[in-house]
Amino acid sequence: MDQKILKQVSQEENFPESKVAKAINLIKEAGNTVPFVARYRKNETGNLSEDELRSIVERWDYLVNLQDRKAEIIATLEKREKLTPELKEAIQKSETMQELEELYKPYKQKKKTRGMKAKEKGLEPLANKLRQGELKTEAEAESTASDFIDDEQGVNSTDEALQGAQDIIAEQISETVDNRRDVKEIAAPETYLETQLKDQAQDENKVYQDYYDYRENLKKMPLHRAMAINRGEKEGVLKVSLSSPEERIIDKVALRELVSLENAGFSRELVFEAVKDACKRLIIPSIQRELRTSKTEQAEEHAIKIFSQNLERLLMQPPIKGKNVMGIDPAYKSGCKIAVVDYKGDMQEVDVIYPTPPFNKTEQAAKKVISLLNKYQVEIIAIGNGTASRETEEFVSETIEDVELSLEVQYAIVSEDGASVYSASKLAAEEFPELDVQERSAISIARRVIDPLAELVKIDPKSIGVGQYQHDVPQSKLKEAVQFVVEKVVNQVGVDVNTASVHLLRYISGLNKKSAENMVNTRSELGGFDSRAQLTEVKGLGAKTFEQCAGFLRILDGSNPLDKTAIHPESYHIAEGIIAHLNEVPENIGSEALRTGVDSLLNNKNQIQSLCQEFDTDKYTLEDILTGLKKPLYDPREEFDKPRLKKDVMKLEDLSEGMILEGEIRNVVDFGAFVDLGIKEDGLIHISNLSEKFVKHPMEIVSVGDVVQVEIVSIDKDRGRIGLKKV
């Protein structure tokens, strides 16, 4: 293990070297997954979380790759006899890939530059004479330059010879490490990004109006603004330029380059011109590219972080268990598709109604809805929030209010982001080959209420509207971040191995699509798994994979009661010993009597210590086992706010400033949080209205799915905008 990298990761991540070393050994060398290590190897890592483990591993990988790239560049430059002690030192001190590549850029094999062409014409000796101050007068320079005139080489005059010599000098100056460092020191805090309107035709809705004539310090620019400008430039709306303190930079570089040419006369003049050319044409643009690239990378990393955090909270939305649900995919001309699913998510019936314009067949639609509600004992109606959602909500509200139903029915407005993507996918076609796209979408909307996680994992996360500029970031990095979030949530929640889909199982620790498919096939052959031990019968599932996945796969009605808990099979002997210690039997796991016994142990430190010694285990493992015995079916999603259920509808016209309402956080971005108030338009709590105290980022206060009390502070009916303040 590289001790230098170990020390750096330890310092940057603020964890002891011993913890970092353990994490790297467990994940990089022993081949364990992050969810497995976070859950079942707490004692070895000191209870590092999934996010902490991932951060350590990512930083480790980056520094290892950076070190390898440095060695590769140094070897290449040595082979080409281009490596100076100063350049080698600068390469070794590089802290980022971007900084390293900018250092190496002048030495890469590339198209011929002006300086390279001048060297090929034999002008390097003339350049050396100028840099050494040998040509003190213009006459001397002209005379010496005339010796380099060569029609065959394309040097037709003394002016061309001297210009070629200056081109060589300019490139030499630009490749000097100290010059680049000086330029960066000046440019980094004082470079400004400027934007101008390039083509208004590309911005019909004036999305980028704020940037038609804009200037801001690049270093101080908020990250979300950098992303907005990048998008505007990419779409052809904005023209972007950078400006740095050019004169100060030239003076700084000239101070070094001209120090030995104080009395060199004409040589000094020509070298000074080369300094200006080197700064304006080569060094400043290069440093500006580096600074802007660095800003963009920071902004992209931040955008991915925001998206990941929002996605995690969305996936952690609590399920509404034990209720049959009707899903409605609203529409106008094509009608509203409806689907009834039972409490397990199995489709019962699909149909179509036409309560919205242009048909307005509300009576006929109401009869059909009421019939289905009573027939299937539906208690919740899930309405998609897309086109015609408002009209459909009004229809549903009036329908369930005007008639007596066998059960009390409420409705919820459900985000249908990604539902159309899923319903048109190969997966949906395989699941419901006999249904059309809209009918599948209605089923997906209904299932999002019953078990959001199981349904949302089927959808490309980029299609779920809970981020900021996720379409503008490197998709490979976004994919990695999304994969981590989904795996983290799925494994924290755990899955019922006898009902989970391939799409859900493939996110379980140690599994992939192929092993998940094999697991489902074996499940079908066995008629369901009776115990975790039977998982070893799955084709291709070896001892290591079993170790990684077993604790996250639950068997709710199997022969071994421990199989429904999060306790890992490797610790069953400890769990059985504790049950015996409490004079209980495994069948009583989760019972009131056993919970009382477990609580008495958890509240007694001496007992915990004694049991750790008796069963040769650690405190973390023991406490997790006790929690598993106490709450065998624990679901972390239950700790979050459930979706808001309603019976009546509200419109923008019903709102007034000063009203206090309850809403649900739909999306969190850098400048605030969007809130679903139960009407068509979402309200915005600006970051300044989230708290009386200073808030660095909205996520310090709210998360996706939170139910909050808000006060209406402004209403713009023409633009459909509602300003809110968190109460």
Side-chain angles (χ1 to χ4, degrees), residues 205-206 652 655 681-684 712 714-724:
N205 297 323
K206 297 186 177 180
L652 179 62
L655 305 182
E681 300 84 0
D682 284 346
L684 172 66
I712 298 176
S714 65
I715 301 173
D716 185 339
K717 292 182 179 179
D718 293 334
R719 302 173 75 184
R721 293 185 176 181
I722 307 163
L724 304 173

Side-chain angles (χ1 to χ4, degrees), residues 533-591:
Q534 282 185 313
L535 295 172
T536 58
E537 298 179 29
V538 175
K539 182 181 178 182
L541 199 147
K544 185 67 176 181
T545 304
F546 176 82
E547 176 193 51
Q548 300 298 301
C549 73
F552 304 103
L553 299 171
R554 313 291 171 79
I555 298 173
L556 303 186
D557 299 309
S559 55
N560 187 343
L562 289 172
D563 286 344
K564 66 183 176 183
T565 73
I567 300 169
H568 197 282
E570 68 184 9
S571 299
Y572 277 6
H573 66 288
I574 301 174
E576 290 163 352
I578 292 170
I579 292 170
H581 177 85
L582 293 171
N583 296 317
E584 288 287 349
V585 292
E587 287 70 24
N588 287 344
I589 288 173
S591 68

Side-chain angles (χ1 to χ4, degrees), residues 518-687:
N518 290 342
M519 190 166 287
V520 170
N521 291 336
T522 304
R523 181 175 75 193
S524 298
E525 293 167 4
L526 295 173
F529 292 103
D530 182 58
S531 69
R532 279 172 170 161
Q534 282 185 313
L535 295 172
T536 58
E537 298 179 29
V538 175
K539 182 181 178 182
L541 199 147
K544 185 67 176 181
T545 304
F546 176 82
E547 176 193 51
Q548 300 298 301
C549 73
F552 304 103
L553 299 171
R554 313 291 171 79
I555 298 173
L556 303 186
D557 299 309
S559 55
N560 187 343
L562 289 172
D563 286 344
K564 66 183 176 183
T565 73
I567 300 169
H568 197 282
E570 68 184 9
S571 299
Y572 277 6
H573 66 288
I574 301 174
E576 290 163 352
I578 292 170
I579 292 170
H581 177 85
L582 293 171
N583 296 317
E584 288 287 349
V585 292
E587 287 70 24
N588 287 344
I589 288 173
S591 68
E592 184 64 37
L594 197 143
R595 286 203 301 271
T596 301
V598 167
D599 283 337
S600 68
L601 294 178
L602 286 170
N603 294 327
N604 190 323
K605 290 184 179 179
N606 292 331
Q607 278 271 49
I608 293 291
Q609 191 173 1
S610 175
L611 288 171
C612 284
Q613 293 174 350
E614 180 180 346
F615 294 110
D616 190 25
T617 189
D618 60 271
K619 179 172 73 79
Y620 295 114
T621 301
L622 183 66
E623 289 179 348
D624 282 350
I625 290 171
L626 291 171
T627 301
L629 296 176
K630 180 181 176 181
K631 298 179 179 179
L633 302 178
Y634 171 69
D635 186 338
R637 295 175 294 177
E638 294 172 358
E639 297 180 8
F640 298 101
D641 293 325
K642 283 185 166 58
R644 293 185 310 136
L645 300 176
K646 306 189 296 178
K647 295 194 72 172
D648 54 2
V649 68
M650 191 163 53
K651 304 175 184 177
L652 179 62
E653 291 75 18
D654 298 327
L655 305 182
S656 61
E657 292 181 12
M659 284 181 69
I660 305 295
L661 298 171
E662 185 178 80
E664 181 179 337
I665 302 295
R666 282 280 307 280
N667 196 10
V668 182
V669 294
D670 288 343
F671 52 82
F674 290 97
V675 183
D676 176 8
L677 297 171
I679 63 175
K680 184 178 181 181
E681 300 84 0
D682 284 346
L684 172 66
I685 312 176
H686 189 266
I687 188 171

Side-chain angles (χ1 to χ4, degrees), residues 58-67 95-98:
E58 281 190 343
R59 191 57 183 156
W60 179 273
D61 287 343
Y62 183 89
L63 292 175
V64 168
N65 291 335
L66 181 64
Q67 181 174 269
E95 295 181 354
T96 67
M97 282 287 190
Q98 175 65 24

Side-chain angles (χ1 to χ4, degrees), residues 420-479:
S420 59
V421 176
Y422 158 74
S423 58
S425 69
K426 181 181 178 182
L427 174 65
E430 291 173 353
E431 197 171 2
F432 303 108
E434 74 284 2
L435 302 181
D436 68 24
V437 170
Q438 284 76 24
E439 289 169 332
R440 296 173 194 157
S441 183
I443 294 171
S444 179
I445 289 168
R447 285 176 167 178
R448 291 186 185 200
V449 173
I450 295 170
D451 191 345
L453 176 60
E455 196 61 24
L456 290 172
V457 294
K458 301 175 184 176
I459 299 164
D460 180 356
K462 293 196 298 296
S463 302
I464 302 172
V466 290
Q468 190 175 12
Y469 302 108
Q470 62 264 29
H471 296 281
D472 301 308
V473 302
Q475 294 304 294
S476 59
K477 289 185 178 180
L478 180 65
K479 185 177 180 180

Side-chain angles (χ1 to χ4, degrees), residues 1-11 17 60 63 67 70 92-93:
M1 182 173 289
D2 191 300
Q3 295 302 308
K4 183 179 178 182
I5 293 179
L6 176 63
K7 185 175 182 179
Q8 185 174 345
V9 173
S10 170
Q11 291 173 343
E17 288 184 23
W60 179 273
L63 292 175
Q67 181 174 269
K70 287 178 182 179
Q92 290 172 333
K93 285 183 176 179

